[in-house]
Amino acid sequence: MRPAVWPIAALLAGYPIWWALGLGGLSIVVVAIPMAVVLWRRRPIKVPTGMGLWMLLLAGYAVSALALAENPPGTYGDLSTGRILGYLMRFAVYLALAVMVLYLGNLTLDELPQLALVRLLGVLFLTTVAGGLLGVVAPGFHFTAPVEMLLPDWIGGNSFVSNLIHPTAAQMQHVLGHASPRPEAPFEWANAWGSNISVLLVWFVVGWWTYGGPWRRAAVAVLLPLAAIPIVYSLNRGLWIGLGLSAAYLAFRWRPLVVGTAVALAGAALLLSPLGAIVGQRLDNPHSNDIRAFTVASTVRAAAASPVIGYGSTRNAYGNYSTITTGKTAWCPTCGHPPLGSDGQLWLTLITQGFAGAALYVGFFLGAVRRHWRDRSPIGQAGTLVMILVLFYMFVYDGMVSALSLYLISFALLWRNAAQRRRTPLNGRWAHG
Protein backbone atom coordinates (compact mmCIF):
# COMPACT_ATOMS: atom_id res chain seq x y z
CA MET A 1 0.00 0.00 0.00
CA ARG A 2 1.34 3.40 -0.97
CA PRO A 3 2.12 5.88 1.85
CA ALA A 4 -0.47 8.42 0.72
CA VAL A 5 -3.25 5.84 1.14
CA TRP A 6 -2.51 5.04 4.78
CA PRO A 7 -4.80 7.73 6.31
CA ILE A 8 -7.99 6.36 4.73
CA ALA A 9 -6.95 2.75 5.32
CA ALA A 10 -6.24 3.55 8.96
CA LEU A 11 -9.65 5.21 9.31
CA LEU A 12 -11.69 2.35 7.84
CA ALA A 13 -9.74 -0.86 8.48
CA GLY A 14 -8.43 0.44 11.80
CA TYR A 15 -11.78 1.62 13.14
CA PRO A 16 -11.95 -0.98 15.95
CA ILE A 17 -8.67 0.41 17.29
CA TRP A 18 -9.96 3.98 17.19
CA TRP A 19 -13.08 2.83 19.03
CA ALA A 20 -11.07 1.03 21.68
CA LEU A 21 -8.91 4.11 22.18
CA GLY A 22 -12.03 6.22 22.74
CA LEU A 23 -11.72 8.19 19.52
CA GLY A 24 -14.28 6.31 17.39
CA GLY A 25 -16.19 8.84 15.32
CA LEU A 26 -13.69 11.59 16.13
CA SER A 27 -10.96 9.59 14.37
CA ILE A 28 -11.86 11.51 11.20
CA VAL A 29 -10.47 14.66 12.83
CA VAL A 30 -7.20 12.87 13.62
CA VAL A 31 -6.64 11.32 10.18
CA ALA A 32 -7.59 14.60 8.48
CA ILE A 33 -4.21 15.98 9.59
CA PRO A 34 -2.07 13.61 7.44
CA MET A 35 -4.69 13.92 4.70
CA ALA A 36 -4.17 17.69 4.72
CA VAL A 37 -0.40 17.15 4.46
CA VAL A 38 -0.92 14.96 1.38
CA LEU A 39 -3.14 17.63 -0.15
CA TRP A 40 -0.65 20.41 0.57
CA ARG A 41 2.04 18.52 -1.30
CA ARG A 42 -0.21 18.01 -4.33
CA ARG A 43 -1.22 21.56 -5.12
CA PRO A 44 -3.07 22.67 -7.19
CA ILE A 45 -5.98 20.80 -5.63
CA LYS A 46 -8.87 19.44 -7.71
CA VAL A 47 -12.30 20.31 -6.31
CA PRO A 48 -15.51 18.41 -7.18
CA THR A 49 -18.66 20.04 -8.47
CA GLY A 50 -20.96 20.81 -5.55
CA MET A 51 -18.17 21.14 -2.99
CA GLY A 52 -18.81 24.88 -2.86
CA LEU A 53 -22.08 24.16 -1.03
CA TRP A 54 -20.19 22.25 1.68
CA MET A 55 -17.68 25.09 2.04
CA LEU A 56 -20.55 27.58 2.39
CA LEU A 57 -22.06 25.27 5.03
CA LEU A 58 -18.73 25.32 6.86
CA ALA A 59 -18.45 29.12 6.58
CA GLY A 60 -22.02 29.53 7.81
CA TYR A 61 -21.27 27.36 10.81
CA ALA A 62 -18.33 29.59 11.68
CA VAL A 63 -20.65 32.61 11.63
CA SER A 64 -23.25 30.81 13.77
CA ALA A 65 -20.84 30.99 16.72
CA LEU A 66 -22.03 34.58 17.13
CA ALA A 67 -25.35 33.24 18.43
CA LEU A 68 -23.99 30.66 20.88
CA ALA A 69 -24.92 32.77 23.90
CA GLU A 70 -28.48 33.38 22.67
CA ASN A 71 -31.54 31.27 23.44
CA PRO A 72 -34.50 31.07 21.04
CA PRO A 73 -38.06 31.27 22.43
CA GLY A 74 -39.11 28.18 24.37
CA THR A 75 -35.58 27.17 25.34
CA TYR A 76 -33.25 27.85 28.24
CA GLY A 77 -29.63 27.47 29.31
CA ASP A 78 -26.45 29.46 29.73
CA LEU A 79 -23.37 29.53 27.53
CA SER A 80 -21.84 26.43 29.11
CA THR A 81 -18.72 24.37 28.50
CA GLY A 82 -20.88 21.64 26.98
CA ARG A 83 -22.38 24.02 24.45
CA ILE A 84 -18.96 25.30 23.41
CA LEU A 85 -17.47 21.80 23.22
CA GLY A 86 -20.37 20.64 21.04
CA TYR A 87 -19.86 23.56 18.68
CA LEU A 88 -16.10 23.08 18.39
CA MET A 89 -16.48 19.33 17.82
CA ARG A 90 -19.00 19.83 15.01
CA PHE A 91 -16.88 22.53 13.38
CA ALA A 92 -13.80 20.26 13.49
CA VAL A 93 -15.78 17.38 11.95
CA TYR A 94 -17.23 19.52 9.13
CA LEU A 95 -13.75 20.81 8.32
CA ALA A 96 -12.17 17.33 8.52
CA LEU A 97 -14.82 15.94 6.17
CA ALA A 98 -14.04 18.61 3.58
CA VAL A 99 -10.35 17.72 3.82
CA MET A 100 -11.16 14.01 3.43
CA VAL A 101 -13.24 14.52 0.27
CA LEU A 102 -10.52 16.59 -1.38
CA TYR A 103 -7.87 14.09 -0.26
CA LEU A 104 -9.73 11.12 -1.77
CA GLY A 105 -10.42 12.95 -5.01
CA ASN A 106 -6.79 14.00 -5.44
CA LEU A 107 -5.36 10.50 -4.96
CA THR A 108 -4.73 8.84 -8.31
CA LEU A 109 -6.53 5.66 -9.28
CA ASP A 110 -3.16 3.90 -9.35
CA GLU A 111 -2.61 4.84 -5.73
CA LEU A 112 -6.13 4.06 -4.58
CA PRO A 113 -8.30 2.12 -7.06
CA GLN A 114 -12.03 2.53 -6.64
CA LEU A 115 -12.48 -1.14 -5.78
CA ALA A 116 -9.83 -0.91 -3.07
CA LEU A 117 -11.73 1.95 -1.39
CA VAL A 118 -15.02 0.08 -1.71
CA ARG A 119 -13.50 -3.00 -0.09
CA LEU A 120 -12.11 -0.91 2.77
CA LEU A 121 -15.71 0.08 3.44
CA GLY A 122 -16.54 -3.63 3.28
CA VAL A 123 -14.00 -4.28 6.02
CA LEU A 124 -15.77 -1.72 8.21
CA PHE A 125 -19.06 -3.52 7.45
CA LEU A 126 -17.55 -6.70 8.92
CA THR A 127 -16.51 -4.73 12.00
CA THR A 128 -20.02 -3.29 12.29
CA VAL A 129 -21.67 -6.73 12.09
CA ALA A 130 -19.26 -8.05 14.75
CA GLY A 131 -20.04 -5.06 16.97
CA GLY A 132 -23.76 -5.59 16.46
CA LEU A 133 -23.53 -9.25 17.43
CA LEU A 134 -21.52 -8.24 20.51
CA GLY A 135 -24.33 -5.88 21.45
CA VAL A 136 -26.85 -8.72 21.16
CA VAL A 137 -24.95 -11.40 23.13
CA ALA A 138 -23.15 -9.13 25.64
CA PRO A 139 -25.14 -5.89 25.84
CA GLY A 140 -23.52 -4.89 29.13
CA PHE A 141 -20.00 -4.94 27.70
CA HIS A 142 -18.14 -1.64 28.13
CA PHE A 143 -14.77 -0.38 29.29
CA THR A 144 -12.89 2.81 30.05
CA ALA A 145 -10.91 3.94 27.03
CA PRO A 146 -7.45 5.55 27.24
CA VAL A 147 -8.76 8.89 25.96
CA GLU A 148 -11.43 8.78 28.66
CA MET A 149 -8.74 8.30 31.31
CA LEU A 150 -6.74 11.28 30.06
CA LEU A 151 -9.57 13.80 29.81
CA PRO A 152 -10.39 15.96 32.85
CA ASP A 153 -13.79 15.36 34.46
CA TRP A 154 -15.17 18.69 33.28
CA ILE A 155 -14.80 17.43 29.70
CA GLY A 156 -15.19 13.67 29.98
CA GLY A 157 -18.14 14.05 32.35
CA ASN A 158 -20.20 15.85 29.73
CA SER A 159 -22.92 13.42 28.56
CA PHE A 160 -22.38 14.20 24.88
CA VAL A 161 -18.62 13.73 25.12
CA SER A 162 -19.05 10.58 27.21
CA ASN A 163 -21.13 8.95 24.45
CA LEU A 164 -18.33 9.61 21.99
CA ILE A 165 -15.37 8.37 24.08
CA HIS A 166 -16.79 5.55 26.25
CA PRO A 167 -16.89 2.23 24.30
CA THR A 168 -20.12 0.28 24.91
CA ALA A 169 -21.65 -2.68 23.11
CA ALA A 170 -25.29 -1.56 23.30
CA GLN A 171 -27.72 1.00 24.63
CA MET A 172 -30.36 -0.31 27.02
CA GLN A 173 -33.71 1.30 26.20
CA HIS A 174 -37.34 0.63 27.12
CA VAL A 175 -38.57 0.59 23.53
CA LEU A 176 -40.76 -2.52 23.97
CA GLY A 177 -41.95 -1.64 27.47
CA HIS A 178 -38.99 -3.38 29.09
CA ALA A 179 -35.23 -2.97 29.00
CA SER A 180 -33.94 -4.07 25.59
CA PRO A 181 -30.39 -3.87 24.21
CA ARG A 182 -29.89 -1.90 21.00
CA PRO A 183 -26.47 -2.62 19.42
CA GLU A 184 -24.17 0.36 18.93
CA ALA A 185 -20.56 -0.95 18.81
CA PRO A 186 -18.28 0.29 17.35
CA PHE A 187 -20.13 3.59 16.95
CA GLU A 188 -21.30 6.29 19.30
CA TRP A 189 -24.97 5.32 19.72
CA ALA A 190 -27.59 2.89 18.45
CA ASN A 191 -29.01 5.14 15.75
CA ALA A 192 -25.52 5.72 14.37
CA TRP A 193 -25.07 1.94 14.17
CA GLY A 194 -28.34 1.66 12.23
CA SER A 195 -27.48 4.37 9.74
CA ASN A 196 -23.94 3.13 9.24
CA ILE A 197 -24.68 -0.54 8.69
CA SER A 198 -27.20 0.27 5.95
CA VAL A 199 -24.65 2.42 4.09
CA LEU A 200 -21.83 -0.09 4.60
CA LEU A 201 -24.09 -2.93 3.44
CA VAL A 202 -24.44 -1.21 0.06
CA TRP A 203 -20.67 -1.02 -0.42
CA PHE A 204 -20.10 -4.51 0.98
CA VAL A 205 -22.39 -6.02 -1.65
CA VAL A 206 -20.68 -4.05 -4.42
CA GLY A 207 -17.16 -4.96 -3.31
CA TRP A 208 -17.73 -8.57 -2.27
CA TRP A 209 -20.57 -9.72 -4.55
CA THR A 210 -20.63 -7.58 -7.69
CA TYR A 211 -16.83 -7.54 -8.04
CA GLY A 212 -16.10 -10.62 -5.93
CA GLY A 213 -14.89 -14.10 -6.78
CA PRO A 214 -16.49 -17.35 -5.59
CA TRP A 215 -15.12 -17.21 -2.04
CA ARG A 216 -16.18 -13.59 -1.53
CA ARG A 217 -19.68 -14.37 -2.78
CA ALA A 218 -19.85 -17.35 -0.44
CA ALA A 219 -18.85 -15.04 2.42
CA VAL A 220 -21.68 -12.66 1.48
CA ALA A 221 -24.18 -15.54 1.60
CA VAL A 222 -23.05 -16.33 5.15
CA LEU A 223 -22.56 -12.82 6.49
CA LEU A 224 -25.85 -11.25 5.40
CA PRO A 225 -27.99 -13.64 7.51
CA LEU A 226 -25.64 -12.98 10.43
CA ALA A 227 -26.05 -9.24 9.93
CA ALA A 228 -29.83 -9.67 10.02
CA ILE A 229 -29.65 -10.65 13.72
CA PRO A 230 -28.36 -7.31 15.09
CA ILE A 231 -30.35 -5.42 12.44
CA VAL A 232 -33.56 -6.85 13.88
CA TYR A 233 -32.44 -6.55 17.52
CA SER A 234 -31.54 -2.90 16.91
CA LEU A 235 -35.32 -2.18 16.97
CA ASN A 236 -34.45 0.55 14.51
CA ARG A 237 -37.40 1.46 12.32
CA GLY A 238 -35.37 4.04 10.39
CA LEU A 239 -32.86 1.35 9.45
CA TRP A 240 -35.62 -1.04 8.39
CA ILE A 241 -37.24 1.62 6.19
CA GLY A 242 -33.81 2.47 4.75
CA LEU A 243 -33.30 -1.16 3.76
CA GLY A 244 -36.74 -1.14 2.15
CA LEU A 245 -35.84 1.99 0.20
CA SER A 246 -32.61 0.33 -0.92
CA ALA A 247 -34.50 -2.71 -2.20
CA ALA A 248 -37.01 -0.51 -4.03
CA TYR A 249 -34.18 1.51 -5.61
CA LEU A 250 -32.42 -1.63 -6.83
CA ALA A 251 -35.64 -3.04 -8.22
CA PHE A 252 -36.31 0.23 -10.06
CA ARG A 253 -32.82 0.61 -11.53
CA TRP A 254 -31.70 -2.98 -11.93
CA ARG A 255 -33.77 -6.16 -12.27
CA PRO A 256 -37.21 -5.85 -10.65
CA LEU A 257 -38.07 -9.56 -10.83
CA VAL A 258 -34.74 -10.74 -9.40
CA VAL A 259 -34.66 -8.14 -6.62
CA GLY A 260 -38.34 -8.58 -5.80
CA THR A 261 -38.00 -12.36 -5.53
CA ALA A 262 -34.90 -12.08 -3.34
CA VAL A 263 -36.59 -9.55 -1.02
CA ALA A 264 -39.74 -11.68 -0.79
CA LEU A 265 -37.74 -14.78 0.12
CA ALA A 266 -35.67 -12.88 2.68
CA GLY A 267 -38.79 -11.33 4.20
CA ALA A 268 -40.53 -14.70 4.43
CA ALA A 269 -37.48 -16.26 6.09
CA LEU A 270 -37.36 -13.40 8.58
CA LEU A 271 -41.03 -13.56 9.49
CA LEU A 272 -40.91 -17.34 9.92
CA SER A 273 -37.88 -17.08 12.20
CA PRO A 274 -37.93 -16.00 15.89
CA LEU A 275 -36.73 -12.58 14.73
CA GLY A 276 -40.12 -11.92 13.14
CA ALA A 277 -41.77 -11.66 16.56
CA ILE A 278 -39.31 -8.91 17.57
CA VAL A 279 -40.15 -6.91 14.45
CA GLY A 280 -43.85 -7.23 15.24
CA GLN A 281 -43.37 -6.07 18.83
CA ARG A 282 -41.38 -3.04 17.69
CA LEU A 283 -44.00 -1.98 15.16
CA ASP A 284 -46.66 -2.30 17.88
CA ASN A 285 -44.66 0.02 20.18
CA PRO A 286 -44.07 3.40 18.46
CA HIS A 287 -41.93 4.44 21.41
CA SER A 288 -40.49 7.72 20.16
CA ASN A 289 -43.22 9.19 17.94
CA ASP A 290 -44.53 11.74 20.46
CA ILE A 291 -41.05 12.76 21.56
CA ARG A 292 -39.92 13.30 17.96
CA ALA A 293 -43.03 15.31 17.12
CA PHE A 294 -42.43 17.63 20.07
CA THR A 295 -38.72 18.20 19.43
CA VAL A 296 -39.15 18.67 15.67
CA ALA A 297 -41.93 21.24 16.12
CA SER A 298 -39.92 23.06 18.78
CA THR A 299 -36.82 23.01 16.57
CA VAL A 300 -38.65 24.57 13.61
CA ARG A 301 -40.07 27.33 15.85
CA ALA A 302 -36.62 28.02 17.29
CA ALA A 303 -34.99 28.13 13.84
CA ALA A 304 -37.59 30.63 12.66
CA ALA A 305 -36.22 33.08 15.23
CA SER A 306 -32.76 32.98 13.59
CA PRO A 307 -33.33 31.69 10.04
CA VAL A 308 -30.00 32.74 8.51
CA ILE A 309 -27.27 31.77 11.00
CA GLY A 310 -29.11 29.62 13.57
CA TYR A 311 -27.78 29.27 17.10
CA GLY A 312 -24.49 27.39 16.64
CA SER A 313 -25.42 24.42 18.84
CA THR A 314 -28.37 22.51 20.26
CA ARG A 315 -30.68 23.93 22.92
CA ASN A 316 -32.84 22.49 25.68
CA ALA A 317 -36.60 23.00 25.41
CA TYR A 318 -38.91 23.75 28.30
CA GLY A 319 -40.87 20.63 29.24
CA ASN A 320 -41.54 17.77 26.84
CA TYR A 321 -44.35 16.34 24.73
CA SER A 322 -46.48 15.39 27.77
CA THR A 323 -45.97 18.24 30.23
CA ILE A 324 -44.63 21.77 30.58
CA THR A 325 -42.64 20.65 33.63
CA THR A 326 -38.91 21.12 33.16
CA GLY A 327 -36.84 18.24 34.49
CA LYS A 328 -37.65 14.97 36.25
CA THR A 329 -39.81 14.95 39.35
CA ALA A 330 -41.14 12.27 41.70
CA TRP A 331 -44.51 12.42 39.93
CA CYS A 332 -43.11 12.79 36.40
CA PRO A 333 -40.03 10.55 35.94
CA THR A 334 -40.23 10.83 32.16
CA CYS A 335 -40.07 14.61 32.13
CA GLY A 336 -36.82 16.01 30.87
CA HIS A 337 -34.98 18.41 28.63
CA PRO A 338 -35.13 17.16 25.04
CA PRO A 339 -32.23 18.68 23.10
CA LEU A 340 -33.54 20.35 19.99
CA GLY A 341 -31.91 19.02 16.84
CA SER A 342 -31.30 15.54 18.26
CA ASP A 343 -33.80 13.73 16.01
CA GLY A 344 -32.12 14.08 12.63
CA GLN A 345 -29.37 15.92 10.79
CA LEU A 346 -31.90 18.21 9.11
CA TRP A 347 -33.22 19.35 12.49
CA LEU A 348 -29.69 19.68 13.89
CA THR A 349 -28.74 21.87 10.93
CA LEU A 350 -31.88 23.94 11.41
CA ILE A 351 -31.13 24.76 15.05
CA THR A 352 -27.40 25.25 14.52
CA GLN A 353 -27.44 27.08 11.16
CA GLY A 354 -31.01 28.09 10.45
CA PHE A 355 -32.96 27.52 7.26
CA ALA A 356 -30.03 28.75 5.17
CA GLY A 357 -27.73 26.03 6.52
CA ALA A 358 -30.41 23.37 6.10
CA ALA A 359 -30.87 24.39 2.46
CA LEU A 360 -27.11 24.09 1.84
CA TYR A 361 -27.01 20.62 3.43
CA VAL A 362 -29.95 19.35 1.39
CA GLY A 363 -28.63 20.99 -1.77
CA PHE A 364 -25.23 19.33 -1.39
CA PHE A 365 -26.61 15.77 -1.40
CA LEU A 366 -29.55 16.43 -3.72
CA GLY A 367 -27.12 17.88 -6.25
CA ALA A 368 -25.04 14.71 -6.05
CA VAL A 369 -28.11 12.60 -6.88
CA ARG A 370 -28.91 14.82 -9.87
CA ARG A 371 -25.36 14.80 -11.26
CA HIS A 372 -24.70 11.08 -10.90
CA TRP A 373 -28.13 9.57 -11.59
CA ARG A 374 -27.09 8.60 -15.13
CA ASP A 375 -24.04 6.69 -13.88
CA ARG A 376 -25.16 3.08 -14.43
CA SER A 377 -21.97 1.47 -13.16
CA PRO A 378 -22.26 -0.53 -9.91
CA ILE A 379 -20.28 2.10 -7.98
CA GLY A 380 -22.30 4.91 -9.54
CA GLN A 381 -25.63 3.30 -8.68
CA ALA A 382 -24.47 2.40 -5.16
CA GLY A 383 -23.19 5.91 -4.49
CA THR A 384 -26.42 7.47 -5.76
CA LEU A 385 -28.38 5.14 -3.49
CA VAL A 386 -26.34 6.29 -0.49
CA MET A 387 -27.05 9.94 -1.38
CA ILE A 388 -30.79 9.10 -1.42
CA LEU A 389 -30.47 7.36 1.95
CA VAL A 390 -28.76 10.46 3.34
CA LEU A 391 -31.74 12.57 2.27
CA PHE A 392 -34.09 10.14 4.05
CA TYR A 393 -31.97 9.65 7.17
CA MET A 394 -31.64 13.41 7.72
CA PHE A 395 -35.23 13.34 9.03
CA VAL A 396 -34.57 10.62 11.64
CA TYR A 397 -30.79 10.34 12.32
CA ASP A 398 -28.23 12.81 13.56
CA GLY A 399 -25.31 12.39 11.15
CA MET A 400 -22.77 13.37 13.79
CA VAL A 401 -20.26 11.87 13.94
CA SER A 402 -19.44 8.62 12.16
CA ALA A 403 -22.39 8.63 9.74
CA LEU A 404 -21.29 11.84 8.03
CA SER A 405 -17.87 10.30 7.40
CA LEU A 406 -19.48 7.46 5.46
CA TYR A 407 -21.78 9.84 3.59
CA LEU A 408 -18.84 11.97 2.43
CA ILE A 409 -16.70 8.95 1.49
CA SER A 410 -19.61 7.82 -0.70
CA PHE A 411 -19.75 11.31 -2.23
CA ALA A 412 -16.01 11.08 -2.97
CA LEU A 413 -16.49 7.68 -4.61
CA LEU A 414 -19.07 9.20 -6.95
CA TRP A 415 -16.72 12.07 -7.80
CA ARG A 416 -13.82 9.71 -8.48
CA ASN A 417 -16.07 7.44 -10.52
CA ALA A 418 -17.27 10.29 -12.72
CA ALA A 419 -13.68 11.38 -13.37
CA GLN A 420 -12.67 7.80 -14.17
CA ARG A 421 -15.58 7.27 -16.58
CA ARG A 422 -14.61 10.36 -18.51
CA ARG A 423 -11.13 8.92 -19.03
CA THR A 424 -11.54 5.15 -19.43
CA PRO A 425 -14.51 3.87 -21.50
CA LEU A 426 -14.13 0.13 -22.10
CA ASN A 427 -16.38 -1.40 -24.78
CA GLY A 428 -19.41 0.54 -23.59
CA ARG A 429 -18.74 -0.24 -19.92
CA TRP A 430 -16.66 1.70 -17.44
CA ALA A 431 -13.56 0.51 -15.65
CA HIS A 432 -13.96 0.14 -11.90
CA GLY A 433 -10.31 0.17 -10.83
Side-chain angles (χ1 to χ4, degrees):
M1 185 179 295
R2 301 193 180 190
V5 177
W6 275 108
I8 190 65
L11 175 67
L12 298 176
Y15 203 89
I17 299 174
W18 295 112
W19 178 69
L21 290 173
L23 286 169
L26 294 178
S27 56
I28 182 60
V29 178
V30 179
V31 299
I33 297 172
M35 289 178 179
V37 172
V38 172
L39 277 174
W40 181 260
R41 293 174 176 173
R42 297 188 177 210
R43 293 168 294 166
I45 298 170
K46 295 179 292 183
V47 179
T49 303
M51 197 63 191
L53 293 179
W54 192 266
M55 301 312 293
L56 285 174
L57 186 74
L58 182 60
Y61 197 49
V63 174
S64 72
L66 297 173
L68 277 174
E70 305 296 326
N71 286 322
T75 69
Y76 70 96
D78 299 322
L79 182 59
S80 63
T81 301
R83 187 180 293 181
I84 295 172
L85 284 175
Y87 172 83
L88 292 175
M89 183 276 295
R90 293 185 190 97
F91 187 85
V93 169
Y94 286 146
L95 179 59
L97 291 171
V99 170
M100 180 188 67
V101 170
L102 297 176
Y103 157 83
L104 288 174
N106 283 270
L107 290 176
T108 68
L109 293 170
D110 288 333
E111 290 174 306
L112 181 61
Q114 287 284 76
L115 187 54
L117 180 53
V118 169
R119 285 185 174 160
L120 282 172
L121 290 167
V123 171
L124 184 54
F125 173 78
L126 300 179
T127 299
T128 303
V129 172
L133 291 172
L134 176 66
V136 172
V137 301
F141 177 81
H142 71 99
F143 59 91
T144 302
V147 169
E148 196 175 1
M149 296 177 187
L150 295 174
L151 287 178
D153 290 341
W154 63 273
I155 296 179
N158 178 274
S159 59
F160 180 71
V161 174
S162 179
N163 275 332
L164 293 176
I165 64 175
H166 184 70
T168 54
Q171 286 181 283
M172 298 299 295
Q173 296 183 348
H174 289 73
V175 176
L176 301 178
H178 56 82
S180 305
R182 299 185 64 204
E184 64 177 6
F187 303 112
E188 52 271 19
W189 31 70
N191 281 349
W193 188 92
S195 170
N196 292 347
I197 197 169
S198 69
V199 171
L200 291 168
L201 174 61
V202 172
W203 294 118
F204 176 70
V205 171
V206 171
W208 286 54
W209 183 270
T210 305
Y211 293 132
W215 74 268
R216 287 185 186 273
R217 292 190 171 194
V220 171
V222 173
L223 288 165
L224 291 188
L226 279 177
I229 297 172
I231 285 173
V232 171
Y233 273 95
S234 71
L235 305 176
N236 200 317
R237 291 172 300 170
L239 165 60
W240 299 345
I241 295 172
L243 293 176
L245 286 175
S246 299
Y249 171 88
L250 291 175
F252 176 74
R253 299 206 69 184
W254 193 43
R255 298 175 182 174
L257 182 59
V258 174
V259 175
T261 302
V263 170
L265 291 174
L270 174 65
L271 293 175
L272 293 174
S273 74
L275 297 177
I278 298 174
V279 174
Q281 290 179 56
R282 179 63 180 102
L283 296 178
D284 290 337
N285 289 272
H287 171 72
S288 59
N289 289 3
D290 291 333
I291 300 173
R292 285 183 178 274
F294 171 82
T295 56
V296 167
S298 300
T299 299
V300 173
R301 285 194 298 269
S306 181
V308 178
I309 68 170
Y311 290 93
S313 190
T314 58
R315 294 294 189 274
N316 289 323
Y318 284 112
N320 64 21
Y321 71 94
S322 61
T323 176
I324 61 172
T325 301
T326 298
K328 296 180 181 181
T329 66
W331 58 272
C332 187
T334 61
C335 296
H337 309 144
L340 303 185
S342 60
D343 291 316
Q345 189 65 26
L346 177 63
W347 318 120
L348 176 64
T349 309
L350 272 176
I351 189 67
T352 58
Q353 294 185 249
F355 291 97
L360 290 171
Y361 182 85
V362 173
F364 178 79
F365 292 105
L366 192 61
V369 174
R370 179 185 60 80
R371 285 190 303 276
H372 300 288
W373 181 261
R374 294 181 182 274
D375 185 345
R376 304 290 295 185
S377 69
I379 289 177
Q381 292 190 65
T384 303
L385 169 58
V386 173
M387 297 299 99
I388 294 171
L389 288 175
V390 174
L391 293 169
F392 164 65
Y393 285 150
M394 70 181 182
F395 292 101
V396 294
Y397 290 146
D398 180 355
M400 289 288 176
V401 183
S402 55
L404 275 174
S405 299
L406 299 182
Y407 299 164
L408 271 293
I409 291 173
S410 301
F411 176 87
L413 273 163
L414 281 173
W415 171 30
R416 287 164 56 91
N417 212 50
Q420 182 180 12
R421 290 190 305 118
R422 286 193 295 268
R423 291 195 299 268
T424 56
L426 297 177
N427 298 324
R429 300 181 65 186
W430 303 111
H432 55 77

